[in-house]
Amino acid sequence: KNQVEQSPQSLIILEGKNCTLQCNYTVSPFSNLRWYKQDTGRGPVSLTIMTFSENTKSNGRYTATLDADTKQSSLHITASQLSDSASYICVVINDYKLSFGAGTTVTVRA
Amino acid sequence: DAGITQSPRYKITETGRQVTLMCHQTWSHSYMFWYRQDLGHGLRLIYYSAAADITDKGEVPDGYVVSRSKTENFPLTLESATRSQTSVYFCASSKYRDPGNQPQHFGDGTRLSIL
C-alpha cells in the first residue's frame, strides 16, 4: 500500500479559479515534504519544500500547507492559468528515502 | 545549460531483447537515480549511484542493471526485457544525498514499450 495518497486523482477548473490538492501520508518518521509539478512529457520539477516544523510555504501562486500531526498536506493554486495544467506530485522524505504519491492531474480550461 | 538529458525519448522493443537507456548530466552532481513511473503509481526507485563506480539497489531493482564509469553518465540496462517493464523511466541527479537539502533534478524521461 502506498504510504502517500493524493486526492483527487484529477480535476478540471476554469482559468482564473482556485483549487486545492490534498496529500495524506503515513510515512514515519518524517523529515521533509516536497511538491513537484510535472508537465506532460516532462520530468517533475520541485515547487516547494517544507520541514516538519513549517506550516506553510509559498512559491508565487502556489501555497503548500502542512499539518504534521494529522499527516496531511495541501497545495493551493490561486488564480489558475492555462500553464498550471500538469500533474502535481506530493513527495514525503524520510531520512534519505523518498515516497512519491501517484499525483493529481490538473486541467485548466479557458 | 543542458542539465540532464535522457535518450532515447521513445523506444519500442520486443520481449527478451536487451535495451539500454542513457542518462547524461552536465552539473557534475555526485548522486544519480533511476525511477520508473507507471499509471496510478508514484515514482519508484530502481537504482541509485553516489559516485562513479558506486551503485546501490532501490525499491524495484529486479531485471535491471546499472553502471557508472563516469560521473556524468548513468546508463540503465534491461538485460532481457519483459512486458511488465513497459513504463516511463526517469533519470535524476542531485549534488547532495539529502533530498530535503536540495531537490533532485529530473530528465524528461524515456517512454519504453515492450511488445
Short mmCIF file of all heavy atoms in Angstrom, two decimals, chain A residues 21-92:
data_model
loop_
_atom_site.label_atom_id
_atom_site.label_comp_id
_atom_site.label_asym_id
_atom_site.label_seq_id
_atom_site.Cartn_x
_atom_site.Cartn_y
_atom_site.Cartn_z
N LEU A 21 -5.29 20.81 -3.73
CA LEU A 21 -4.96 19.39 -3.86
C LEU A 21 -4.56 18.85 -2.50
O LEU A 21 -3.92 19.56 -1.72
CB LEU A 21 -3.80 19.21 -4.85
CG LEU A 21 -3.84 20.04 -6.14
CD1 LEU A 21 -2.63 19.76 -6.99
CD2 LEU A 21 -5.12 19.79 -6.90
N GLN A 22 -4.89 17.60 -2.24
CA GLN A 22 -4.65 17.01 -0.93
C GLN A 22 -3.60 15.90 -1.00
O GLN A 22 -3.50 15.17 -1.99
CB GLN A 22 -5.94 16.43 -0.36
CG GLN A 22 -7.05 17.44 -0.14
CD GLN A 22 -6.73 18.42 0.97
OE1 GLN A 22 -5.90 18.17 1.84
NE2 GLN A 22 -7.38 19.58 0.94
N CYS A 23 -2.87 15.77 0.09
CA CYS A 23 -1.87 14.71 0.22
C CYS A 23 -1.91 14.18 1.65
O CYS A 23 -1.72 14.96 2.58
CB CYS A 23 -0.48 15.26 -0.11
SG CYS A 23 0.88 14.11 0.18
N ASN A 24 -2.21 12.91 1.81
CA ASN A 24 -2.19 12.26 3.12
C ASN A 24 -1.08 11.21 3.11
O ASN A 24 -0.94 10.47 2.14
CB ASN A 24 -3.53 11.58 3.42
CG ASN A 24 -4.66 12.57 3.53
OD1 ASN A 24 -4.45 13.75 3.78
ND2 ASN A 24 -5.88 12.10 3.31
N TYR A 25 -0.34 11.15 4.19
CA TYR A 25 0.78 10.21 4.21
C TYR A 25 0.84 9.47 5.53
O TYR A 25 0.34 9.93 6.54
CB TYR A 25 2.10 10.95 3.95
CG TYR A 25 2.45 12.00 4.99
CD1 TYR A 25 3.23 11.69 6.09
CD2 TYR A 25 2.00 13.32 4.84
CE1 TYR A 25 3.56 12.65 7.03
CE2 TYR A 25 2.33 14.27 5.77
CZ TYR A 25 3.10 13.95 6.86
OH TYR A 25 3.41 14.91 7.79
N THR A 26 1.46 8.30 5.47
CA THR A 26 1.66 7.51 6.67
C THR A 26 3.14 7.29 6.95
O THR A 26 3.49 6.59 7.89
CB THR A 26 0.96 6.15 6.54
OG1 THR A 26 1.47 5.47 5.39
CG2 THR A 26 -0.55 6.31 6.40
N VAL A 27 3.99 7.87 6.10
CA VAL A 27 5.43 7.72 6.27
C VAL A 27 5.85 8.23 7.64
O VAL A 27 5.48 9.32 8.05
CB VAL A 27 6.19 8.51 5.17
CG1 VAL A 27 7.69 8.44 5.40
CG2 VAL A 27 5.83 8.00 3.79
N SER A 28 6.63 7.43 8.33
CA SER A 28 7.10 7.82 9.65
C SER A 28 8.46 7.17 9.92
O SER A 28 8.64 5.99 9.58
CB SER A 28 6.08 7.41 10.72
OG SER A 28 6.48 7.84 11.99
N PRO A 29 9.41 7.85 10.50
CA PRO A 29 9.35 9.28 10.79
C PRO A 29 9.41 10.11 9.52
O PRO A 29 9.61 9.59 8.44
CB PRO A 29 10.61 9.49 11.65
CG PRO A 29 11.55 8.44 11.19
CD PRO A 29 10.70 7.25 10.85
N PHE A 30 9.22 11.38 9.70
CA PHE A 30 9.09 12.29 8.57
C PHE A 30 10.06 13.43 8.75
O PHE A 30 10.20 13.97 9.84
CB PHE A 30 7.63 12.77 8.54
CG PHE A 30 7.43 14.08 7.84
CD1 PHE A 30 7.23 14.11 6.48
CD2 PHE A 30 7.39 15.26 8.53
CE1 PHE A 30 7.02 15.30 5.82
CE2 PHE A 30 7.19 16.47 7.90
CZ PHE A 30 7.00 16.49 6.54
N SER A 31 10.75 13.82 7.68
CA SER A 31 11.66 14.94 7.79
C SER A 31 11.27 16.12 6.92
O SER A 31 11.36 17.27 7.36
CB SER A 31 13.09 14.51 7.48
OG SER A 31 13.17 13.90 6.21
N ASN A 32 10.86 15.85 5.68
CA ASN A 32 10.50 16.93 4.76
C ASN A 32 9.38 16.48 3.84
O ASN A 32 9.17 15.28 3.64
CB ASN A 32 11.69 17.33 3.87
CG ASN A 32 12.85 17.86 4.66
OD1 ASN A 32 12.85 19.00 5.08
ND2 ASN A 32 13.85 17.03 4.86
N LEU A 33 8.71 17.46 3.24
CA LEU A 33 7.69 17.16 2.25
C LEU A 33 7.86 18.12 1.09
O LEU A 33 7.98 19.33 1.29
CB LEU A 33 6.28 17.28 2.85
CG LEU A 33 5.11 16.84 1.96
CD1 LEU A 33 4.01 16.20 2.81
CD2 LEU A 33 4.57 17.97 1.13
N ARG A 34 7.89 17.57 -0.10
CA ARG A 34 8.02 18.39 -1.32
C ARG A 34 6.80 18.22 -2.19
O ARG A 34 6.20 17.16 -2.23
CB ARG A 34 9.23 17.96 -2.15
CG ARG A 34 10.56 18.44 -1.69
CD ARG A 34 11.64 18.19 -2.75
NE ARG A 34 12.95 18.50 -2.22
CZ ARG A 34 13.48 19.71 -2.24
NH1 ARG A 34 12.81 20.71 -2.77
NH2 ARG A 34 14.68 19.91 -1.75
N TRP A 35 6.47 19.27 -2.91
CA TRP A 35 5.51 19.21 -4.01
C TRP A 35 6.27 19.44 -5.31
O TRP A 35 7.08 20.38 -5.42
CB TRP A 35 4.42 20.26 -3.85
CG TRP A 35 3.37 19.90 -2.84
CD1 TRP A 35 3.35 20.23 -1.52
CD2 TRP A 35 2.18 19.16 -3.09
NE1 TRP A 35 2.22 19.74 -0.92
CE2 TRP A 35 1.48 19.08 -1.86
CE3 TRP A 35 1.61 18.55 -4.21
CZ2 TRP A 35 0.25 18.41 -1.73
CZ3 TRP A 35 0.40 17.90 -4.09
CH2 TRP A 35 -0.26 17.83 -2.85
N TYR A 36 6.00 18.55 -6.27
CA TYR A 36 6.58 18.67 -7.60
C TYR A 36 5.48 18.94 -8.61
O TYR A 36 4.35 18.47 -8.47
CB TYR A 36 7.29 17.37 -8.01
CG TYR A 36 8.70 17.19 -7.51
CD1 TYR A 36 8.95 16.63 -6.26
CD2 TYR A 36 9.79 17.54 -8.30
CE1 TYR A 36 10.25 16.45 -5.82
CE2 TYR A 36 11.09 17.35 -7.87
CZ TYR A 36 11.32 16.80 -6.63
OH TYR A 36 12.61 16.61 -6.18
N LYS A 37 5.84 19.67 -9.66
CA LYS A 37 4.95 19.87 -10.81
C LYS A 37 5.54 19.11 -12.00
O LYS A 37 6.75 19.24 -12.27
CB LYS A 37 4.85 21.36 -11.16
CG LYS A 37 3.96 21.64 -12.37
CD LYS A 37 4.01 23.11 -12.76
CE LYS A 37 3.12 23.38 -13.97
NZ LYS A 37 3.29 24.74 -14.50
N GLN A 38 4.70 18.32 -12.67
CA GLN A 38 5.16 17.57 -13.83
C GLN A 38 4.29 17.90 -15.03
O GLN A 38 3.13 17.49 -15.10
CB GLN A 38 5.13 16.06 -13.55
CG GLN A 38 5.69 15.22 -14.69
CD GLN A 38 5.74 13.74 -14.38
OE1 GLN A 38 5.07 13.25 -13.48
NE2 GLN A 38 6.54 13.01 -15.13
N ASP A 39 4.86 18.64 -15.97
CA ASP A 39 4.16 18.91 -17.22
C ASP A 39 4.14 17.65 -18.07
O ASP A 39 5.03 16.80 -17.96
CB ASP A 39 4.85 20.05 -17.98
CG ASP A 39 4.72 21.38 -17.26
OD1 ASP A 39 3.62 21.67 -16.74
OD2 ASP A 39 5.71 22.13 -17.22
N THR A 40 3.15 17.56 -18.95
CA THR A 40 3.01 16.39 -19.82
C THR A 40 4.28 16.20 -20.64
O THR A 40 4.77 17.13 -21.29
CB THR A 40 1.81 16.56 -20.75
OG1 THR A 40 0.63 16.72 -19.96
CG2 THR A 40 1.64 15.34 -21.65
N GLY A 41 4.84 14.99 -20.60
CA GLY A 41 6.03 14.68 -21.38
C GLY A 41 7.32 15.24 -20.81
O GLY A 41 8.36 15.18 -21.48
N ARG A 42 7.27 15.73 -19.59
CA ARG A 42 8.47 16.30 -18.96
C ARG A 42 8.72 15.63 -17.61
O ARG A 42 7.89 14.87 -17.10
CB ARG A 42 8.30 17.82 -18.75
CG ARG A 42 7.98 18.62 -19.98
CD ARG A 42 9.08 18.56 -21.03
NE ARG A 42 10.35 19.08 -20.58
CZ ARG A 42 10.69 20.38 -20.65
NH1 ARG A 42 9.84 21.26 -21.13
NH2 ARG A 42 11.88 20.77 -20.23
N GLY A 43 9.89 15.89 -17.05
CA GLY A 43 10.19 15.37 -15.73
C GLY A 43 9.63 16.28 -14.64
O GLY A 43 9.33 17.45 -14.90
N PRO A 44 9.50 15.77 -13.42
CA PRO A 44 9.00 16.59 -12.31
C PRO A 44 9.97 17.71 -11.97
O PRO A 44 11.19 17.53 -12.05
CB PRO A 44 8.88 15.60 -11.15
CG PRO A 44 8.87 14.24 -11.79
CD PRO A 44 9.71 14.37 -13.02
N VAL A 45 9.40 18.85 -11.54
CA VAL A 45 10.19 19.99 -11.11
C VAL A 45 9.70 20.41 -9.73
O VAL A 45 8.49 20.54 -9.50
CB VAL A 45 10.04 21.17 -12.10
CG1 VAL A 45 10.78 22.40 -11.58
CG2 VAL A 45 10.55 20.78 -13.48
N SER A 46 10.63 20.63 -8.80
CA SER A 46 10.26 20.95 -7.44
C SER A 46 9.59 22.32 -7.35
O SER A 46 10.07 23.31 -7.91
CB SER A 46 11.50 20.93 -6.55
OG SER A 46 11.17 21.24 -5.22
N LEU A 47 8.46 22.37 -6.60
CA LEU A 47 7.76 23.64 -6.37
C LEU A 47 8.06 24.19 -4.99
O LEU A 47 8.37 25.37 -4.83
CB LEU A 47 6.24 23.42 -6.48
CG LEU A 47 5.62 23.27 -7.86
CD1 LEU A 47 4.14 22.95 -7.71
CD2 LEU A 47 5.82 24.54 -8.68
N THR A 48 7.91 23.34 -3.97
CA THR A 48 8.11 23.78 -2.60
C THR A 48 8.68 22.65 -1.78
O THR A 48 8.56 21.47 -2.15
CB THR A 48 6.78 24.18 -1.92
OG1 THR A 48 5.94 23.03 -1.81
CG2 THR A 48 6.04 25.26 -2.68
N ILE A 49 9.29 23.01 -0.66
CA ILE A 49 9.70 22.01 0.31
C ILE A 49 9.40 22.55 1.70
O ILE A 49 9.54 23.75 1.95
CB ILE A 49 11.19 21.63 0.21
CG1 ILE A 49 11.52 20.57 1.27
CG2 ILE A 49 12.09 22.87 0.36
CD1 ILE A 49 12.82 19.87 1.08
N MET A 50 8.93 21.67 2.58
CA MET A 50 8.65 22.06 3.95
C MET A 50 9.26 21.04 4.91
O MET A 50 9.21 19.84 4.65
CB MET A 50 7.14 22.14 4.18
CG MET A 50 6.48 23.32 3.50
SD MET A 50 4.72 23.36 3.84
CE MET A 50 4.20 21.94 2.90
N THR A 51 9.78 21.53 6.02
CA THR A 51 10.21 20.65 7.08
C THR A 51 9.02 20.38 7.99
O THR A 51 7.98 21.03 7.87
CB THR A 51 11.35 21.27 7.89
OG1 THR A 51 10.85 22.42 8.58
CG2 THR A 51 12.50 21.69 6.98
N PHE A 52 9.20 19.48 8.95
CA PHE A 52 8.07 19.11 9.82
C PHE A 52 7.62 20.28 10.69
O PHE A 52 6.50 20.30 11.19
CB PHE A 52 8.46 17.92 10.71
CG PHE A 52 9.56 18.22 11.68
CD1 PHE A 52 9.29 18.72 12.95
CD2 PHE A 52 10.88 18.01 11.34
CE1 PHE A 52 10.30 18.99 13.85
CE2 PHE A 52 11.91 18.28 12.22
CZ PHE A 52 11.63 18.78 13.48
N SER A 53 8.47 21.28 10.87
CA SER A 53 8.13 22.41 11.74
C SER A 53 7.46 23.55 10.98
O SER A 53 7.01 24.52 11.60
CB SER A 53 9.38 22.93 12.44
OG SER A 53 10.31 23.40 11.49
N GLU A 54 7.37 23.47 9.68
CA GLU A 54 6.77 24.55 8.89
C GLU A 54 5.31 24.22 8.60
O GLU A 54 4.96 23.08 8.32
CB GLU A 54 7.52 24.73 7.58
CG GLU A 54 8.93 25.27 7.77
CD GLU A 54 9.67 25.43 6.46
OE1 GLU A 54 9.94 24.40 5.80
OE2 GLU A 54 9.96 26.58 6.09
N ASN A 55 4.47 25.24 8.62
CA ASN A 55 3.05 25.06 8.37
C ASN A 55 2.65 25.46 6.96
O ASN A 55 1.67 24.95 6.41
CB ASN A 55 2.22 25.87 9.35
CG ASN A 55 2.44 25.43 10.77
OD1 ASN A 55 2.88 26.20 11.62
ND2 ASN A 55 2.16 24.17 11.04
N THR A 56 3.37 26.42 6.40
CA THR A 56 3.01 26.91 5.09
C THR A 56 4.24 27.40 4.34
O THR A 56 5.21 27.87 4.94
CB THR A 56 1.95 28.03 5.21
OG1 THR A 56 1.54 28.42 3.89
CG2 THR A 56 2.52 29.24 5.93
N LYS A 57 4.20 27.27 3.04
CA LYS A 57 5.29 27.72 2.18
C LYS A 57 4.70 28.13 0.84
O LYS A 57 3.91 27.37 0.27
CB LYS A 57 6.31 26.59 1.99
CG LYS A 57 7.54 26.94 1.18
CD LYS A 57 8.48 27.88 1.89
CE LYS A 57 9.19 27.25 3.03
NZ LYS A 57 10.30 26.37 2.60
N SER A 58 5.10 29.29 0.35
CA SER A 58 4.55 29.79 -0.91
C SER A 58 5.60 29.89 -1.99
O SER A 58 6.78 30.13 -1.71
CB SER A 58 3.91 31.17 -0.70
OG SER A 58 2.74 31.06 0.09
N ASN A 59 5.17 29.72 -3.21
CA ASN A 59 6.01 29.91 -4.38
C ASN A 59 5.12 30.53 -5.45
O ASN A 59 4.44 29.83 -6.20
CB ASN A 59 6.58 28.57 -4.86
CG ASN A 59 7.43 28.70 -6.11
OD1 ASN A 59 7.61 29.80 -6.64
ND2 ASN A 59 7.97 27.60 -6.58
N GLY A 60 5.08 31.86 -5.46
CA GLY A 60 4.19 32.55 -6.40
C GLY A 60 2.74 32.24 -6.10
O GLY A 60 2.28 32.46 -4.98
N ARG A 61 2.02 31.72 -7.07
CA ARG A 61 0.60 31.42 -6.88
C ARG A 61 0.38 30.04 -6.24
O ARG A 61 -0.77 29.61 -6.06
CB ARG A 61 -0.10 31.48 -8.23
CG ARG A 61 -0.13 32.88 -8.85
CD ARG A 61 -0.83 32.91 -10.20
NE ARG A 61 -0.09 32.08 -11.18
CZ ARG A 61 -0.44 30.86 -11.50
NH1 ARG A 61 -1.53 30.29 -10.97
NH2 ARG A 61 0.26 30.18 -12.39
N TYR A 62 1.42 29.37 -5.90
CA TYR A 62 1.33 28.05 -5.25
C TYR A 62 1.61 28.21 -3.75
O TYR A 62 2.62 28.79 -3.37
CB TYR A 62 2.36 27.08 -5.83
CG TYR A 62 2.21 26.82 -7.31
CD1 TYR A 62 3.06 27.42 -8.23
CD2 TYR A 62 1.24 25.96 -7.78
CE1 TYR A 62 2.95 27.16 -9.59
CE2 TYR A 62 1.11 25.70 -9.13
CZ TYR A 62 1.96 26.31 -10.03
OH TYR A 62 1.84 26.06 -11.37
N THR A 63 0.71 27.69 -2.93
CA THR A 63 0.90 27.71 -1.49
C THR A 63 0.70 26.30 -0.95
O THR A 63 -0.37 25.71 -1.15
CB THR A 63 -0.08 28.67 -0.79
OG1 THR A 63 0.15 29.99 -1.28
CG2 THR A 63 0.13 28.65 0.71
N ALA A 64 1.72 25.79 -0.29
CA ALA A 64 1.62 24.47 0.33
C ALA A 64 1.43 24.63 1.82
O ALA A 64 2.01 25.53 2.44
CB ALA A 64 2.88 23.67 0.03
N THR A 65 0.62 23.76 2.40
CA THR A 65 0.44 23.74 3.85
C THR A 65 0.77 22.34 4.36
O THR A 65 0.68 21.35 3.61
CB THR A 65 -1.00 24.09 4.25
OG1 THR A 65 -1.89 23.10 3.75
CG2 THR A 65 -1.40 25.46 3.71
N LEU A 66 1.12 22.27 5.62
CA LEU A 66 1.48 21.01 6.22
C LEU A 66 0.96 20.93 7.65
O LEU A 66 1.13 21.88 8.42
CB LEU A 66 3.00 20.83 6.23
CG LEU A 66 3.56 19.63 6.97
CD1 LEU A 66 3.12 18.33 6.30
CD2 LEU A 66 5.09 19.70 7.04
N ASP A 67 0.30 19.83 7.96
CA ASP A 67 -0.09 19.53 9.33
C ASP A 67 0.57 18.20 9.69
O ASP A 67 0.06 17.13 9.33
CB ASP A 67 -1.62 19.44 9.45
CG ASP A 67 -2.07 19.26 10.88
OD1 ASP A 67 -1.28 18.73 11.71
OD2 ASP A 67 -3.21 19.62 11.19
N ALA A 68 1.70 18.29 10.37
CA ALA A 68 2.46 17.07 10.68
C ALA A 68 1.73 16.20 11.70
O ALA A 68 1.99 15.00 11.77
CB ALA A 68 3.85 17.45 11.19
N ASP A 69 0.85 16.78 12.48
CA ASP A 69 0.11 15.99 13.48
C ASP A 69 -0.88 15.05 12.81
O ASP A 69 -1.02 13.89 13.21
CB ASP A 69 -0.62 16.92 14.45
CG ASP A 69 0.35 17.67 15.34
OD1 ASP A 69 1.45 17.14 15.60
OD2 ASP A 69 0.02 18.80 15.75
N THR A 70 -1.59 15.57 11.82
CA THR A 70 -2.57 14.74 11.12
C THR A 70 -1.98 14.10 9.87
O THR A 70 -2.66 13.33 9.18
CB THR A 70 -3.80 15.57 10.70
OG1 THR A 70 -3.37 16.61 9.80
CG2 THR A 70 -4.47 16.18 11.92
N LYS A 71 -0.74 14.39 9.57
CA LYS A 71 -0.04 13.84 8.41
C LYS A 71 -0.77 14.18 7.11
O LYS A 71 -1.08 13.32 6.28
CB LYS A 71 0.15 12.33 8.54
CG LYS A 71 1.09 11.91 9.67
CD LYS A 71 1.32 10.40 9.67
CE LYS A 71 2.48 9.99 10.56
NZ LYS A 71 2.34 10.38 11.95
N GLN A 72 -1.05 15.47 6.98
CA GLN A 72 -1.73 15.96 5.79
C GLN A 72 -1.03 17.19 5.24
O GLN A 72 -0.54 18.02 6.01
CB GLN A 72 -3.19 16.31 6.11
CG GLN A 72 -4.05 15.13 6.52
CD GLN A 72 -5.48 15.53 6.82
OE1 GLN A 72 -5.72 16.61 7.36
NE2 GLN A 72 -6.43 14.68 6.47
N SER A 73 -1.03 17.27 3.91
CA SER A 73 -0.51 18.47 3.26
C SER A 73 -1.47 18.84 2.15
O SER A 73 -2.21 17.98 1.63
CB SER A 73 0.88 18.21 2.67
OG SER A 73 1.36 19.35 1.97
N SER A 74 -1.48 20.10 1.80
CA SER A 74 -2.30 20.54 0.68
C SER A 74 -1.50 21.51 -0.17
O SER A 74 -0.57 22.16 0.31
CB SER A 74 -3.59 21.20 1.17
OG SER A 74 -3.29 22.38 1.87
N LEU A 75 -1.86 21.56 -1.44
CA LEU A 75 -1.27 22.53 -2.36
C LEU A 75 -2.40 23.35 -2.95
O LEU A 75 -3.32 22.81 -3.57
CB LEU A 75 -0.50 21.84 -3.49
CG LEU A 75 0.18 22.77 -4.48
CD1 LEU A 75 1.35 23.50 -3.81
CD2 LEU A 75 0.69 22.01 -5.70
N HIS A 76 -2.34 24.66 -2.72
CA HIS A 76 -3.39 25.56 -3.19
C HIS A 76 -2.86 26.35 -4.38
O HIS A 76 -1.78 26.95 -4.29
CB HIS A 76 -3.81 26.50 -2.07
CG HIS A 76 -4.97 27.36 -2.40
ND1 HIS A 76 -6.26 26.90 -2.45
CD2 HIS A 76 -5.03 28.68 -2.73
CE1 HIS A 76 -7.08 27.88 -2.77
NE2 HIS A 76 -6.37 28.97 -2.95
N ILE A 77 -3.62 26.34 -5.46
CA ILE A 77 -3.26 27.12 -6.64
C ILE A 77 -4.23 28.28 -6.75
O ILE A 77 -5.46 28.08 -6.81
CB ILE A 77 -3.31 26.26 -7.93
CG1 ILE A 77 -2.42 25.03 -7.79
CG2 ILE A 77 -2.86 27.10 -9.13
CD1 ILE A 77 -2.52 24.07 -8.96
N THR A 78 -3.69 29.47 -6.76
CA THR A 78 -4.52 30.69 -6.80
C THR A 78 -4.56 31.25 -8.22
O THR A 78 -3.54 31.28 -8.90
CB THR A 78 -3.94 31.74 -5.85
OG1 THR A 78 -3.87 31.21 -4.53
CG2 THR A 78 -4.80 33.00 -5.84
N ALA A 79 -5.73 31.71 -8.62
CA ALA A 79 -5.90 32.38 -9.92
C ALA A 79 -5.24 31.55 -11.02
O ALA A 79 -4.30 32.00 -11.69
CB ALA A 79 -5.33 33.78 -9.88
N SER A 80 -5.75 30.36 -11.22
CA SER A 80 -5.11 29.40 -12.13
C SER A 80 -4.93 29.95 -13.54
O SER A 80 -5.73 30.76 -14.04
CB SER A 80 -5.93 28.11 -12.18
OG SER A 80 -7.25 28.39 -12.66
N GLN A 81 -3.87 29.48 -14.16
CA GLN A 81 -3.56 29.84 -15.53
C GLN A 81 -3.48 28.57 -16.37
O GLN A 81 -3.32 27.48 -15.83
CB GLN A 81 -2.23 30.59 -15.60
CG GLN A 81 -2.23 31.89 -14.79
CD GLN A 81 -0.89 32.59 -14.80
OE1 GLN A 81 0.08 32.10 -15.38
NE2 GLN A 81 -0.83 33.74 -14.15
N LEU A 82 -3.57 28.72 -17.67
CA LEU A 82 -3.51 27.55 -18.55
C LEU A 82 -2.21 26.77 -18.35
O LEU A 82 -2.19 25.54 -18.44
CB LEU A 82 -3.64 27.98 -20.01
CG LEU A 82 -4.97 28.64 -20.40
CD1 LEU A 82 -4.95 29.06 -21.87
CD2 LEU A 82 -6.15 27.71 -20.13
N SER A 83 -1.15 27.47 -18.00
CA SER A 83 0.15 26.82 -17.80
C SER A 83 0.20 26.00 -16.52
O SER A 83 1.18 25.26 -16.29
CB SER A 83 1.26 27.88 -17.76
OG SER A 83 1.03 28.79 -16.71
N ASP A 84 -0.82 26.12 -15.69
CA ASP A 84 -0.89 25.29 -14.48
C ASP A 84 -1.36 23.87 -14.78
O ASP A 84 -1.32 23.00 -13.90
CB ASP A 84 -1.82 25.92 -13.44
CG ASP A 84 -1.29 27.23 -12.89
OD1 ASP A 84 -0.05 27.38 -12.81
OD2 ASP A 84 -2.12 28.10 -12.55
N SER A 85 -1.82 23.63 -15.99
CA SER A 85 -2.24 22.28 -16.38
C SER A 85 -1.03 21.35 -16.31
O SER A 85 -0.05 21.53 -17.03
CB SER A 85 -2.81 22.28 -17.80
OG SER A 85 -4.02 23.00 -17.86
N ALA A 86 -1.11 20.37 -15.41
CA ALA A 86 0.03 19.50 -15.13
C ALA A 86 -0.39 18.47 -14.11
O ALA A 86 -1.51 18.50 -13.59
CB ALA A 86 1.22 20.30 -14.61
N SER A 87 0.54 17.58 -13.79
CA SER A 87 0.35 16.66 -12.68
C SER A 87 1.15 17.19 -11.50
O SER A 87 2.28 17.67 -11.67
CB SER A 87 0.83 15.26 -13.05
OG SER A 87 0.66 14.37 -11.97
N TYR A 88 0.57 17.14 -10.30
CA TYR A 88 1.22 17.64 -9.10
C TYR A 88 1.47 16.47 -8.16
O TYR A 88 0.54 15.73 -7.81
CB TYR A 88 0.37 18.72 -8.44
CG TYR A 88 0.30 19.96 -9.30
CD1 TYR A 88 -0.65 20.05 -10.31
CD2 TYR A 88 1.20 21.00 -9.14
CE1 TYR A 88 -0.70 21.16 -11.14
CE2 TYR A 88 1.16 22.12 -9.95
CZ TYR A 88 0.20 22.19 -10.96
OH TYR A 88 0.16 23.29 -11.78
N ILE A 89 2.71 16.31 -7.80
CA ILE A 89 3.14 15.11 -7.06
C ILE A 89 3.62 15.50 -5.67
O ILE A 89 4.45 16.40 -5.51
CB ILE A 89 4.27 14.38 -7.81
CG1 ILE A 89 3.79 13.96 -9.21
CG2 ILE A 89 4.74 13.17 -7.03
CD1 ILE A 89 4.90 13.43 -10.10
N CYS A 90 3.09 14.82 -4.68
CA CYS A 90 3.50 15.00 -3.29
C CYS A 90 4.58 13.97 -2.97
O CYS A 90 4.42 12.78 -3.28
CB CYS A 90 2.28 14.81 -2.39
SG CYS A 90 2.60 14.85 -0.62
N VAL A 91 5.67 14.42 -2.38
CA VAL A 91 6.79 13.53 -2.06
C VAL A 91 7.15 13.69 -0.59
O VAL A 91 7.48 14.80 -0.14
CB VAL A 91 8.02 13.85 -2.92
CG1 VAL A 91 9.14 12.85 -2.64
CG2 VAL A 91 7.67 13.85 -4.39
N VAL A 92 7.07 12.62 0.15
CA VAL A 92 7.41 12.65 1.57
C VAL A 92 8.80 12.07 1.75
O VAL A 92 9.10 10.99 1.22
CB VAL A 92 6.37 11.87 2.39
CG1 VAL A 92 6.76 11.89 3.87
CG2 VAL A 92 4.99 12.47 2.20
#
